Amino acid sequence: MSPYETGLVVAGLDRVAEDVLVLTLRHPLGEPLPAWEPGAHVDLVLGPGLERQYSLCGDPADRRTWRVAVARERAGRGGSAQVHERVGPGDRVRVRGPRNHFRLEPAARYRFVAGGIGITPVLPMLAAAQEAGADWTLLYGGRTRRSMAFTGELSRYGARVTLAPEDETGPLDLAPVLADVSEGTLVYACGPGPLLDAVERRCPRGRLRLERFRPAARAPAGAAEFEVVLARSGRTVPVAPDVSVLDAVRAAGAEVLWSCAEGTCGTCETDVVEGTPDHRDSVLTDEERAAGETMLICVSRCRGKRLVLDL
């Protein structure tokens, strides 16, 4: 089934921190929006070649509006600049989703770590953890206090939240937060790559859930050619060493949704019927990679000569 996609109206546009805008989106006819859970994101289709993923950071119980926060990236690829410079109240924005590869799993204890705009998927998780009566804390860092979004909303949680602006406290000190990641504890982290790498080094295997905005550094995928069989048509498509599975199957006429082409958004996740994927993404968990039931075809390849995909 194709994901929900429609034009939504910008019902509100608020600056919540230095270089961070929050868009409140509403259906033009007042229709309810699809349900979502903490950790979900949507694609904003801002123009040709400008599809960007933003985490939903509002209240999942509010079916009337979606809320996303957009940090202006001076060295970005143009998506954030488009929002900051050209989107205004009353404008329509094409939105696709929601999708969720960062779900909040049930746990007795949570340790949340956020850096910069990485607070956005975490924000609704905190409310859910609080409502569930879980033991939780948040360590939230940023360049300066002025650059850190939602600090006013976070103040209601009191001592559970530690704000750590780098110009006041130095680099985030992960040791106290991650000193005791015991049985029953899950760590959720989102933010810049170096921060996530540091969290990953300190966490026991299986206890960490990450969401990356940029692909993780990985070894080269290898130069072997292989073939992909499109299960729905039976057609066999060769995949050359310098061509992605996504590009190869699209050139062969397969209809595939895709967005980032970097293995970070999950849009092109495809079911694997036969074969063993060589996972190169930054989305799937270790358990999902080991199962081999799906793959991100924009970056992942084949451990062998043949894959059969549900396309």
Side-chain angles (χ1 to χ4, degrees):
M1 183 174 66
S2 298
Y4 178 86
E5 181 174 349
T6 192
L8 300 182
V9 174
V10 179
L13 192 63
D14 302 292
R15 189 171 300 277
V16 295
E18 185 178 72
D19 284 338
V20 180
L21 287 177
V22 166
L23 279 67
T24 300
L25 303 169
R26 188 186 303 272
H27 193 281
L29 301 179
E31 295 179 5
L33 300 174
W36 61 280
E37 297 177 355
H41 73 260
V42 294
D43 303 338
L44 298 191
V45 184
L46 302 168
L50 277 180
E51 296 184 21
R52 299 293 183 264
Q53 293 74 47
Y54 297 102
S55 297
L56 291 168
C57 57
D59 179 3
D62 180 4
R63 298 288 300 276
R64 299 169 303 165
T65 62
W66 281 345
R67 186 173 75 159
V68 297
V70 180
R72 179 163 193 151
E73 298 183 47
R74 303 294 177 180
R77 296 173 295 166
S80 66
Q82 179 87 355
V83 172
H84 278 253
E85 296 173 8
R86 300 185 182 180
V87 174
D91 288 349
R92 288 202 184 192
V93 178
R94 195 126 196 107
V95 183
R96 182 189 302 130
R99 296 184 183 84
N100 200 340
H101 290 278
F102 196 42
R103 285 184 172 84
L104 185 67
E105 301 171 24
R109 299 172 73 225
Y110 298 101
R111 297 296 174 253
F112 297 103
V113 180
I117 200 61
I119 189 62
T120 52
V122 172
L123 198 62
M125 291 183 179
L126 305 183
Q130 182 84 351
E131 185 176 353
D135 173 6
W136 67 268
T137 61
L138 165 67
L139 176 62
Y140 175 26
R143 292 180 293 101
T144 66
R145 195 173 293 268
R146 292 191 308 276
S147 72
M148 296 169 65
F150 306 115
T151 54
E153 292 186 30
L154 292 170
S155 64
R156 65 190 175 105
Y157 295 121
R160 289 181 182 266
V161 174
T162 299
L163 300 181
E166 188 173 5
D167 64 339
E168 298 177 22
T169 64
L172 280 184
D173 185 5
L174 298 173
V177 177
L178 303 178
D180 180 24
V181 183
S182 56
E183 188 71 27
T185 302
L186 288 178
V187 177
Y188 278 78
C190 186
L195 170 63
L196 300 188
D197 293 341
V199 173
E200 197 166 23
R201 288 193 295 269
R202 289 178 175 270
C203 278
R205 195 173 186 86
R207 306 275 173 82
L208 177 61
R209 306 292 183 265
L210 294 177
E211 182 167 71
R212 293 183 180 271
F213 297 139
R214 295 288 182 269
R218 299 192 185 279
E225 181 173 336
F226 57 96
E227 63 182 27
V228 167
V229 178
L230 308 182
R232 299 180 197 175
S233 66
R235 182 171 182 180
T236 297
V237 179
V239 181
D242 58 347
V243 175
S244 70
V245 175
L246 173 65
D247 287 345
V249 300
R250 290 182 68 235
E255 294 186 7
V256 184
L257 285 176
W258 64 282
S259 182
C260 74
E262 295 181 333
T264 59
C265 75
T267 304
C268 69
E269 184 175 6
T270 301
D271 288 342
V272 177
V273 180
E274 292 180 22
T276 303
D278 178 11
H279 296 290
R280 317 302 305 173
D281 66 277
S282 300
V283 173
L284 300 179
T285 65
D286 290 341
E287 293 78 9
E288 289 169 331
R289 292 192 181 105
E293 296 176 354
T294 68
M295 64 183 290
L296 277 296
I297 62 173
C298 64
V299 292
S300 297
R301 299 185 70 80
C302 176
R303 293 187 182 277
K305 296 294 185 181
R306 183 173 181 267
L307 282 173
V308 182
L309 301 180
D310 184 21
L311 291 173

